[in-house]
């Protein structure tokens, strides 16, 4: 008896059901976002864009968007610079050192967020970084560095190490080698790293809640308030905007990945 | 390469800025938190750990956390295995479409996902309204603000994390092994249970451990979908600090959470290796 005949289509069907379970729930925020009501509820006939108007005109939401963008951009730049240099270093130093430093650099990604949050809260209060823009940027940079290192390391693992040796044997300093030889070859990895770092910072909530209170109020924090108190339907409008951006980003990433091998051959 | 002194490592300087930042502003603060859990350096004490060991309510929190995370992990890994299997064996177009359906929620903000499930599962949420409207139930089902809601939200979050490592292993399998099994007379079912499953089991196990570790530290999803009635370890730690100001207890619980996480990660890296986790082949 050949199971293959019906087993495959059945597993594919199961996979599609699971995929829809993953994809569809997010869509329920759309009718709620367009609902003409002061509460988080489904429309009873009247649709309106008022929650989107609130999102893009009210001072608190606008300032949170600005805070999130500023923090994410600054911590992306910092994390990409420090993380890329570190990944290139890890690629070239001897294995025991790379193993040790690599393990240290992964810690902020592996440690439970609440543990990092408590530790950073106490430290930030002690050194005067608590509730400052610089403090939030530094915290996000630390959390993003592991993702940068992973993305750049993946890119470096596909690079021929002899390129670096050739540059060095011709007299280039490590810095010159980095700028003129290594960086041009890992551009894609660095770009991926930047996207990762930005998203890590843009979505971060647990550590942010502990290291800031009023001076910096990021978008996830305001969403958290809106959801927990369950009174502000503007969060549904934010959810719709974030969902649209995420879908566009993923589509763009898939298109870019599909095109690249075609261009190289 | 010949042995060189450390000064012969021209790239050490590249490591320094990031290492200094992470050591100075992350690991040292973590160390201070650990010290705090032992009552600080001046008056070392084990009283916070004794309290963790002796308090029934904390035992319940730990038990709830492990029960929810364990259940979530099993469900997420089984669902992830099915999706990965389909992805590894379907045509290119269908694979991309399925990948898109997994990637969009994977990248979507955790708050948006929790909000969506809250809207769906509340007493006056879409699921209950639909069931009430169709006359299938007389009163709203309790779908959220309980363990069920937390498990649903966490499974939804963690399935993609299970899919990707399992899929990578399945794609790397040598198809000739399955053909060989078939050619010596094994049924497709036998081929799956005796050849395919054992070959993918390490990936399944690795993915399960990663999902478990990740779930252990979950904060946002349980806090929103548990609605204060289901409190998991991370939320309890935050309550200890923010509401009852018991820093010593919070620090001790943090250390417990951290040690559990690191122990599980050590097992994962035994299986895959830190270098592999870093992406190097």
């Amino acid at each position: 008896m050949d199971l293959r005949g019906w087993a495959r289509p059945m597993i594919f069907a199961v996979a599609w059901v699971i995929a829809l379970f993953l994809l569809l729930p997010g869509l329920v925020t759309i009718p709620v976002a367009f609902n003409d009501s002061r509460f988080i509820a489904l429309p009873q006939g009247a649709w309106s864009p008022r929650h989107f108007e609130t999102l893009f005109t009210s001072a608190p939401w606008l300032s949170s968007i600005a805070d999130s963008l500023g923090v994410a951009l600054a911590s992306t730049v910092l994390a990409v610079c420090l993380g890329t240099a570190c990944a290139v270093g890890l690629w070239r130093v001897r294995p025991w050192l790379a193993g040790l430093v690599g393990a240290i650099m992964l810690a902020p990604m592996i440690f439970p967020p609440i543990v990092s949050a408590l530790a950073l809260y106490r430290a930030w209060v002690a050194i005067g970084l608590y509730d400052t823009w610089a403090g939030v940027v530094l915290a996000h940079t630390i959390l993003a560095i592991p993702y940068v290192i992973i993305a750049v390391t993946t890119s470096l693992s596909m690079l021929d190490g002899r390129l670096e040796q050739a540059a060095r044997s011709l007299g280039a300093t490590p810095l010159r080698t980095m700028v003129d030889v290594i960086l041009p070859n890992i551009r894609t990895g660095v770009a991926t790293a930047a996207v990762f770092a930005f998203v890590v910072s843009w979505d971060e909530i647990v550590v942010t809640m502990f290291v800031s209170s009023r001076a910096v109020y990021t978008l996830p924090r305001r969403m958290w308030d809106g959801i927990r108190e369950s009174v502000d339907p503007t969060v549904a409008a934010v959810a719709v905007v974030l969902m649209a951006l995420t879908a566009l980003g993923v589509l763009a990433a898939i298109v870019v990945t599909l095109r690249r091998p075609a261009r190289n051959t | 390469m010949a042995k060189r002194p450390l000064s012969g490592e021209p790239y050490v300087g590249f490591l320094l800025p990031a290492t200094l930042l992470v050591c100075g502003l992350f690991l040292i603060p973590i160390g201070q938190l650990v010290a705090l859990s032992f009552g600080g350096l001046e008056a070392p004490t084990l009283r916070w750990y004794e309290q963790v060991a002796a308090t029934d309510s904390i035992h319940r929190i730990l038990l709830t956390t492990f029960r929810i995370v364990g259940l979530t992990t099993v469900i997420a890994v089984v669902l992830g295995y099915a999706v990965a299997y389909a992805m590894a064996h379907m045509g290119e177009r269908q694979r991309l479409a399925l990948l898109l359906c997994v990637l969009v929620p994977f990248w979507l903000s955790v708050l948006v996902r929790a909000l969506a499930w809250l809207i769906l599962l509340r007493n006056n949420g879409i699921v209950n309204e639909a069931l009430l409207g169709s006359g299938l139930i007389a009163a709203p089902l309790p779908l959220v603000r309980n363990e069920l809601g937390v498990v649903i939200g966490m499974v939804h979050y963690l399935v993609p994390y299970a899919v990707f490592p399992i899929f990578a292993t399945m794609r790397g399998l040598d198809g000739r092994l399955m053909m060989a099994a078939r050619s010596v007379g094994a049924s497709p079912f036998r081929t799956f249970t005796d050849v395919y499953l054992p070959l993918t089991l390490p990936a399944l196990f690795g993915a399960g451990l990663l999902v478990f570790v990740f779930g252990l530290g979950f904060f946002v999803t349980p806090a929103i979908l548990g609605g204060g009635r289901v409190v998991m370890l991370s939320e309890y730690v935050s309550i200890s600090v923010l509401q009852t100001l018991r820093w010593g207890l919070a620090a001790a619980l943090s250390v417990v959470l951290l040690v559990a996480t690191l122990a599980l990660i050590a097992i994962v890296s035994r299986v895959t290796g830190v270098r592999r986790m870093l992406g190097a082949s």
Side-chain angles (χ1 to χ4, degrees):
Chain A
M1 188 180 80
D2 196 351
L3 286 168
R4 175 164 298 210
W6 56 269
R8 280 209 171 200
M10 207 179 78
I11 290 173
F12 289 3
V14 169
W16 275 109
V17 171
I18 298 167
L20 294 179
F21 158 76
L22 295 178
L23 186 68
L24 294 183
L27 301 181
V28 304
T29 52
I30 297 174
V32 176
F34 284 102
N35 180 24
D36 190 19
S37 151
R38 286 190 300 109
F39 306 101
I40 296 183
L42 287 181
Q44 313 286 341
W47 290 56
S48 108
R50 60 183 272 193
H51 301 313
F52 290 92
E53 283 164 24
T54 313
L55 174 60
F56 292 114
T57 53
S58 85
W61 283 101
L62 282 179
S63 91
S64 282
I65 293 174
D67 276 358
S68 268
L69 267 181
V71 166
L73 285 175
S75 52
T76 300
V77 170
L78 264 176
V80 166
C81 290
L82 298 178
T84 303
C86 187
V88 170
L90 290 173
W91 184 55
R92 285 290 92 178
V93 298
R94 60 189 69 187
W96 72 263
L97 189 60
L100 176 71
V101 176
I104 291 174
M105 301 314 292
L106 285 184
M109 183 180 80
I110 292 168
F111 285 18
I114 190 70
V115 177
S116 311
L118 292 197
L120 290 184
Y121 167 74
R122 292 181 67 85
W124 270 211
V125 168
I127 56 181
L129 282 173
Y130 177 72
D131 201 21
T132 63
W133 195 78
V136 179
V137 168
L138 273 177
H140 285 194
T141 303
I142 291 167
L143 294 173
I145 280 181
Y147 295 88
V148 172
I149 291 182
I150 287 174
V152 175
T153 300
T154 309
S155 196
L156 282 169
S157 69
M158 289 180 274
L159 186 64
D160 190 342
R162 284 172 303 184
L163 268 176
E164 180 267 346
Q165 283 163 9
R168 297 274 289 133
S169 72
L170 290 170
T173 62
L175 194 63
R176 185 83 199 278
T177 311
M178 166 91 167
V179 173
D180 288 352
V181 178
I182 300 174
L183 272 185
N185 281 294
I186 55 167
R187 274 173 313 191
T188 328
V190 176
T192 312
V195 173
F196 271 109
F198 188 90
V199 172
V200 166
S201 167
W202 178 260
D203 278 344
E204 215 296 319
I205 169 86
V206 181
V207 171
T208 311
M209 273 197 291
F210 276 81
V211 299
S212 65
S213 77
R214 282 200 181 80
V216 186
Y217 216 89
T218 62
L219 192 59
R221 272 208 83 169
R222 203 166 291 283
M223 290 173 69
W224 169 265
D225 295 344
I227 296 172
R228 288 223 85 179
E229 282 139 39
S230 198
V231 287
D232 189 356
T234 315
V235 287
V238 184
V240 170
V241 172
L242 290 182
M243 219 159 43
L245 291 176
T246 308
L248 280 178
V250 169
L251 269 176
I254 287 183
V255 170
V256 168
T257 338
L258 282 181
R259 281 210 181 147
R260 200 180 314 123
R263 207 192 306 135
N264 285 351
T265 46
Chain B
M1 210 178 287
K3 278 200 168 183
R4 297 168 299 183
L6 205 58
S7 58
E9 292 272 16
Y11 285 91
V12 162
F14 284 50
L15 302 176
L16 278 180
T19 313
L20 284 179
L21 178 69
V22 171
C23 286
L25 289 182
F26 185 77
L27 290 185
I28 290 179
I30 294 278
Q32 287 170 329
L33 190 67
V34 174
L36 184 72
S37 77
F38 291 103
L41 296 172
E42 297 81 31
T45 166
L46 283 175
R47 57 179 289 224
W48 301 115
Y49 290 95
E50 282 159 10
Q51 195 174 335
V52 170
T55 313
D56 281 341
S57 62
I58 294 177
H59 293 171
R60 272 200 303 278
I61 301 271
L62 288 170
L63 207 64
T64 310
T65 305
F66 278 94
R67 187 173 57 233
I68 291 178
V69 178
L71 188 61
T72 302
T73 303
V74 171
I75 300 173
V77 166
V78 169
L79 298 186
Y81 192 88
V83 173
Y85 182 90
M87 247 193 220
H89 295 92
M90 32 177 57
E92 196 60 39
R93 276 170 177 276
Q94 219 188 138
R95 189 207 327 280
L96 277 175
L98 194 63
L99 184 67
L100 188 70
C101 291
V102 180
L103 274 178
V104 171
F106 177 75
W107 283 97
L108 191 58
S109 151
V110 61
L111 288 164
V112 173
R113 298 202 233 177
L115 173 68
W117 281 111
L118 201 60
I119 294 171
L120 279 169
L121 301 177
R122 286 184 305 176
N123 277 351
N124 54 353
I126 294 176
V127 172
N128 270 319
E129 300 267 287
L131 288 174
L132 284 169
S134 68
L136 280 171
I137 53 171
L141 297 173
L143 299 172
V144 79
R145 289 168 180 268
N146 55 25
E147 288 191 17
L148 178 66
V150 177
V151 168
I152 292 174
M154 283 180 65
V155 166
H156 181 253
Y157 193 93
L158 290 169
V159 167
Y161 287 89
V163 170
F164 296 123
I166 299 174
F167 172 66
T169 302
M170 285 178 173
R171 283 222 87 176
L173 283 188
D174 187 343
R176 285 173 303 181
L177 288 168
M178 271 64 76
M179 283 206 283
R182 296 278 287 132
S183 73
V184 294
S187 68
F189 184 72
R190 243 341 254 294
T191 309
F192 178 79
T193 54
D194 288 13
V195 181
Y196 199 86
L197 192 60
L199 283 171
T200 47
L201 213 53
L204 193 69
F205 184 67
L209 276 172
L210 276 181
V211 166
F212 192 90
V213 167
F214 204 24
L216 214 50
F218 255 44
F219 182 94
V220 173
T221 310
I224 290 175
L225 296 175
R229 297 205 198 148
V230 184
V231 178
M232 279 174 55
L233 191 49
S234 286
E235 196 186 1
Y236 187 75
V237 170
S238 115
I239 293 171
S240 308
V241 168
L242 296 177
Q243 289 174 18
T244 51
L245 298 173
R246 288 176 296 178
W247 267 99
L249 182 68
L253 284 169
S254 296
V255 172
V256 170
L257 184 57
L258 189 56
V259 169
T261 303
L262 292 180
L264 288 166
I265 285 288
I267 301 174
V268 177
S269 60
R270 266 284 169 83
V271 182
T272 59
V274 173
R275 297 284 287 178
R276 280 268 297 285
M277 276 176 73
L278 270 169
S281 47

